[in-house]
Amino acid sequence: MIKKTKAKATEENATKTKSEKTLVVVESPSKAKTINKYLGNKYHVEASVGHIKDLSNYKLGVDIENNFTPTYQTIKGKAPIVKNLKEKAKSSKSVLIATDPDREGEAIAYHIAEEIKKVNNQIKRVIFNEITKTGIKKGLDEPREIDEDLFMSQQARRVMDRIIGFKVSPFLSNAMIGKTTATLSAGRVQSVALRLICEREQLIMDFEPIEYWNIYADFYNNQVNKLKTQLVAFNNKIIKKPEGSKKGKSEEETKEILAKINSLNYIKNEVEADAILAQINKIEKFTVSKKTIKKIQRKPEPPFTTSTLQQEAARKLGFQNKRTMQIAQRLYEGVSIGKEGEVGLITYMRTDSVRISPEAIDSARGYINSNFGKNYLPDNPNEFKSKSSNVQDAHEAIRPTNLSYSLDELKLYLSPEEFALYKLIFQRFVASQMTNADVEQTSIDISAEDLTFRATGSVIIFDGYMKIYEESKDDENGDEENGTAVLPVGINEGDTFNLDNATKKQAFTKAPPRYNQASLIKELDELGIGRPSTYATIVSTLLDREYVMLDNKAF
């Protein structure tokens, strides 16, 4: 037998080594670290650290005359990363590109593949919707080709951004010469968001409030029941309060508005309010004329999408949108949980779908049954539909990857911000699969002569999903007239009451509120402008460029 030469043996060893290794490429080093924990020694994981290519910075970077053909270049500082990926790919049997499961991730995958196929054409795309053992196995079991249509979708948006940015930004800067030294820019979504804020500001500036007065009265009876009420009718007519501004866009429109206001039955000034107070104080007895009890069911909200997560985190936690997405990214890519090491705690955080996998629903139902009991578990899983027609539905809603971790346990390992956001996601998801809440709403009318006062209150009969979570609402106007009181039991129609005291209070119609981070995102989302993944960046750009400012959390 002829002995192998040293060179031949080295070549065979290299071939053998190449045949045993698979290169997995992800976007971030922290994600690579988490995934590496779950994969065996037949894989090595490398990070691209985001995009490796972008449109050329020289001139427009888009050939408008030639079918809008883009020109790409390697991003400054990324050449060593590209070189490393190619070297690793050359010595690997195959390559799996596992960048984020969205348009941006597909674009990154496309450009990585374009470079790597020069040295290794055994390339597949894998999707990890959650960075867990189960999620990674599912991704590895379902490799596919790179989706060129999805890449072209991202490219079209990028080209549009560049055309608007390069064409409008210089015009903007020239128009502001001498007025500012700041860098100015325009953008496909950024400019529309700014317009919304400006139009709202103009509405506020043009707003002329309408004066009206409220009457409040406290009553008591022999059973020492006390009722706090508000006048809802006089002259035997229900009060219809004015709304909006008394100034129209034209003189004719203003006349129409004023005519409509004057036709309403409401307390227009202090003279009228004093006259009604004098009448109230002369009446000796007031009678319960009507008692209405209405039972309503409150349904749980669906689990979070990117948009609703940003809105709720802004309302409940005071997080700016960019901060919310940074924290969510860490929770998705993996955080260190004691001896278990890096663990991905939530599913992919850029999604506009409210869909949940059957396995996750089963897990939630098991958790609810064990921790809250059968009364809190609906007979069938709750199903949700997206309100918007502009939904990709490529990924599940944002949810915890594993409900076996208790909140108390995770609190030991997460930063306060990470824990607060995870708790929000955890509670919203669990609540979405719980029973409805049963609420009893009571309304009591007390009348005398041509006057009617009303007290309203609600009682939670069964808390259902509210046991763990209740969505907060925007209350930008701070309207205190719509509150409900805790009503005493045992009050029936025909009962008589005495007046304790009556007061008047001046009020004015309010201009539409300024947008805050939650309401701006909600408006963009409902108008179908932009994508959930870009909202945080859009808001951040508006603030960084100083086109808008935050005053008491409002733009």
Side-chain angles (χ1 to χ4, degrees):
M1 183 179 287
I2 302 172
K3 290 184 178 180
K4 295 178 182 177
T5 64
K6 187 174 182 181
K8 187 73 174 175
T10 303
E11 184 180 334
E12 286 186 1
N13 286 336
T15 304
K16 186 177 179 182
T17 301
K18 183 172 181 176
S19 68
E20 291 176 351
K21 287 284 187 180
T22 295
L23 171 64
V24 179
V25 183
V26 298
E27 287 184 37
S28 76
S30 60
K31 189 176 176 181
K33 187 177 178 182
T34 307
I35 292 173
N36 200 46
K37 185 186 75 168
Y38 294 109
L39 297 176
N41 56 16
K42 291 185 179 180
Y43 298 86
H44 51 239
V45 187
E46 295 290 331
S48 69
V49 196
H51 283 273
I52 62 168
K53 290 184 177 181
D54 196 6
L55 295 177
S56 172
N57 285 327
Y58 300 103
K59 298 185 178 179
L60 183 60
V62 179
D63 189 347
I64 295 177
E65 303 300 326
N66 185 23
N67 203 28
F68 295 92
T69 303
T71 302
Y72 287 97
Q73 66 180 25
T74 300
I75 295 171
K76 187 176 180 181
K78 289 297 182 75
I81 292 174
V82 174
K83 182 181 178 183
N84 176 58
L85 292 177
K86 289 172 74 172
E87 288 175 353
K88 291 289 196 302
K90 190 174 183 180
S91 63
S92 299
K93 173 184 65 174
S94 59
V95 179
L96 298 176
I97 304 180
T99 47
D100 285 353
D102 57 11
R103 285 191 184 95
E104 293 298 321
E106 206 70 23
I108 295 170
Y110 184 93
H111 289 137
I112 290 172
E114 286 291 295
E115 291 296 323
I116 284 178
K117 71 181 183 183
K118 299 172 184 176
V119 296
N120 188 335
N121 62 4
Q122 298 300 306
I123 301 170
K124 291 289 183 181
R125 176 84 163 105
V126 293
I127 297 296
F128 299 146
N129 285 313
E130 56 183 77
I131 311 303
T132 61
K133 187 175 182 179
T134 303
I136 290 170
K137 183 180 184 304
K138 189 175 187 298
L140 294 177
D141 289 344
E142 299 173 357
R144 62 166 172 80
E145 301 299 324
I146 289 173
D147 188 336
E148 190 164 344
D149 287 342
L150 198 57
F151 162 66
M152 293 298 285
S153 171
Q154 186 275 346
Q155 181 171 264
R157 290 169 180 271
R158 186 70 190 93
V159 167
M160 183 76 82
D161 283 336
R162 176 56 67 89
I163 291 171
I164 292 175
F166 263 62
K167 295 292 184 182
V168 181
S169 295
F171 171 80
L172 189 63
S173 295
N174 289 335
M176 297 298 287
I177 286 177
K179 298 177 182 178
T180 180
T181 58
T183 303
L184 302 177
S185 67
R188 176 174 50 86
V189 180
Q190 164 196 325
S191 299
V192 180
L194 180 59
R195 175 172 175 169
L196 288 173
I197 294 170
C198 289
E199 287 180 342
R200 178 61 59 88
E201 194 69 21
Q202 191 64 50
L203 279 175
I204 294 169
M205 291 169 65
D206 292 342
F207 191 87
E208 285 194 23
I210 306 162
E211 178 187 12
Y212 64 95
W213 287 73
N214 290 315
I215 302 282
Y216 303 96
D218 295 345
F219 296 98
Y220 69 95
N221 63 6
N222 294 333
Q223 285 73 43
V224 201
N225 285 321
K226 290 187 178 179
L227 277 181
K228 290 184 175 295
T229 71
Q230 182 174 348
L231 184 70
V232 294
F234 69 97
N235 292 334
N236 291 319
K237 292 181 181 178
I238 295 294
I239 291 174
K240 295 284 187 182
K241 293 176 184 173
E243 296 178 349
S245 171
K246 63 182 178 184
K247 181 182 177 182
K249 294 179 180 178
S250 64
E251 187 176 338
E252 185 177 336
E253 188 176 5
T254 299
K255 287 180 180 178
E256 289 178 5
I257 291 172
L258 292 175
K260 184 178 179 181
I261 290 170
N262 289 329
S263 69
L264 298 175
N265 185 58
Y266 72 99
I267 306 171
K268 299 176 175 62
N269 50 55
E270 190 171 13
V271 173
E272 290 187 10
D274 286 336
I276 293 173
L277 279 179
Q279 179 186 359
I280 293 169
N281 286 313
K282 290 177 182 177
I283 299 172
E284 294 184 359
K285 292 291 181 183
F286 295 81
T287 305
V288 176
S289 56
K290 187 177 181 182
K291 180 178 180 180
T292 305
I293 299 176
K294 185 167 68 173
K295 291 184 178 180
I296 58 174
Q297 283 195 330
R298 292 182 184 171
K299 296 181 179 181
E301 296 290 331
F304 284 127
T305 61
T306 306
S307 171
T308 55
L309 176 63
Q310 290 180 19
Q311 291 173 49
E312 193 72 341
R315 294 189 197 108
K316 283 194 169 180
L317 306 178
F319 288 175
Q320 290 196 11
N321 306 323
K322 185 177 180 181
R323 190 75 185 127
T324 296
M325 296 308 292
Q326 288 172 338
I327 298 166
Q329 183 94 29
R330 292 203 300 268
L331 293 173
Y332 163 70
E333 292 180 347
V335 291
S336 182
I337 307 296
K339 294 179 181 178
E340 291 193 46
E342 304 293 322
V343 175
L345 291 177
I346 64 170
T347 52
Y348 192 55
M349 65 286 161
R350 291 187 178 94
T351 177
D352 52 10
S353 173
V354 292
R355 177 176 55 83
I356 292 293
S357 70
E359 297 81 9
I361 290 175
D362 289 343
S363 176
R365 288 175 65 82
Y367 180 89
I368 293 163
N369 191 42
S370 299
N371 290 272
F372 300 101
K374 290 184 178 180
N375 288 344
Y376 290 87
L377 189 66
D379 293 337
N380 298 303
N382 294 329
E383 295 183 1
F384 302 95
K385 291 184 179 180
S386 298
K387 295 177 182 177
S388 172
S389 59
N390 187 30
V391 173
Q392 293 182 35
D393 202 45
H395 317 296
E396 287 184 64
I398 304 169
R399 62 167 176 83
T401 57
N402 190 341
L403 295 179
S404 64
Y405 297 116
S406 73
L407 291 176
D408 289 340
E409 180 184 3
L410 290 177
K411 194 172 186 178
L412 300 173
Y413 301 108
L414 303 181
S415 71
E417 285 187 326
E418 289 170 343
F419 179 74
L421 192 64
Y422 177 80
K423 183 179 179 183
L424 201 64
I425 294 167
F426 178 93
Q427 291 181 330
R428 172 85 163 219
F429 170 63
V430 172
S432 73
Q433 287 303 318
M434 294 175 73
T435 51
N436 297 340
D438 294 325
V439 179
E440 191 174 85
Q441 202 168 57
T442 303
S443 173
I444 296 174
D445 287 359
I446 294 182
S447 303
E449 297 180 1
D450 63 337
L451 308 173
T452 300
F453 297 83
R454 181 169 295 160
T456 58
S458 60
V459 177
I460 297 172
I461 305 300
F462 177 67
D463 52 5
Y465 75 92
M466 293 169 65
K467 182 87 171 177
I468 187 172
Y469 182 87
E470 187 172 3
E471 186 185 34
S472 57
K473 302 291 183 183
D474 286 320
D475 186 23
E476 296 155 326
N477 278 325
D479 191 351
E480 60 187 40
E481 296 173 21
N482 297 322
T484 57
V486 177
L487 299 181
V489 297
I491 297 176
N492 298 302
E493 290 183 9
D495 289 353
T496 57
F497 278 81
N498 298 311
L499 177 69
D500 186 14
N501 65 79
T503 58
K504 63 185 179 183
K505 187 174 182 181
Q506 186 184 35
F508 293 91
T509 55
K510 294 177 180 177
R514 289 187 173 97
Y515 288 109
N516 57 31
Q517 299 216 27
S519 60
L520 179 62
I521 285 180
K522 184 178 181 182
E523 184 77 359
L524 290 169
D525 194 27
E526 290 179 350
L527 291 172
I529 297 169
R531 301 300 307 165
S533 58
T534 64
Y535 291 150
T537 306
I538 294 303
V539 171
S540 179
T541 301
L542 292 177
L543 289 168
D544 291 345
R545 299 288 191 210
E546 296 185 352
Y547 295 154
V548 299
M549 66 181 73
L550 276 175
D551 181 12
N552 195 25
K553 297 185 179 180
F555 292 114

